[in-house]
Amino acid sequence: VQLVESGGGLVQTGGSLKLACETSGFVDAEYAVGWFRQAPGKERERISCVGRPWGKITYANFLGGRFAISNDDAKNMVYLQLTGLNPEDTGVYFCAAVDDWGHSCAALGEHDYDWWGQGTQVTVSS
């Protein structure tokens, strides 16, 4: 399994970005893809998750509805739309995947994911 993130960049406070995670190599038709981020000097934190068959979605409470996860099955892509960005959202954003996800996105922690992308940098200026 391979995951490749893209779409990061530099934006001003209040701006938006759409991150993409291209997935490939899955053997199982059922798997979950999660988004995480790691701010400088901080631990990696979970942002969102979507489970396939698509429909189970979770978001971290601290997001306040600013981010939205979506997928394009035909393109093997999972997206994370970031809106209302502020400097505290700065960090490296990772997508991760697991095929034995138990149909519960909410129960998946960082250590449950088996495959990780290389990350994409998001920098929000004040």
Side-chain angles (χ1 to χ4, degrees):
V1 174
Q2 287 190 319
L3 307 171
V4 180
E5 302 97 332
S6 61
L10 173 65
V11 295
Q12 293 183 332
T13 295
S16 300
L17 283 173
K18 187 172 185 177
L19 308 183
C21 175
E22 182 177 7
T23 69
S24 62
F26 285 109
V27 176
D28 198 328
E30 298 186 356
Y31 54 88
V33 176
W35 281 98
F36 292 76
R37 72 181 182 189
Q38 188 165 21
K42 296 186 178 180
E43 293 187 352
R44 191 153 53 188
E45 58 185 354
R46 184 178 62 177
I47 296 173
S48 184
C49 168
V50 61
R52 191 179 193 277
W54 307 116
K56 299 288 182 80
I57 294 176
T58 61
Y59 295 102
N61 292 332
F62 66 81
L63 293 175
R66 295 182 298 121
F67 297 176
I69 194 169
S70 62
N71 65 279
D72 185 332
D73 216 15
K75 297 181 179 179
N76 295 321
M77 301 290 286
V78 177
Y79 303 100
L80 187 68
Q81 179 70 54
L82 314 179
T83 61
L85 288 164
N86 58 66
E88 289 69 38
D89 295 314
T90 293
V92 180
Y93 285 66
F94 301 89
C95 64
V98 56
D99 58 4
D100 185 19
W101 65 290
H103 290 196
S104 176
C105 254
L108 295 175
E110 176 181 352
H111 299 291
D112 293 311
Y113 289 84
D114 294 319
W115 302 285
W116 291 80
Q118 83 288 349
T120 185
Q121 176 71 44
V122 171
T123 303
V124 185
S125 63
S126 58

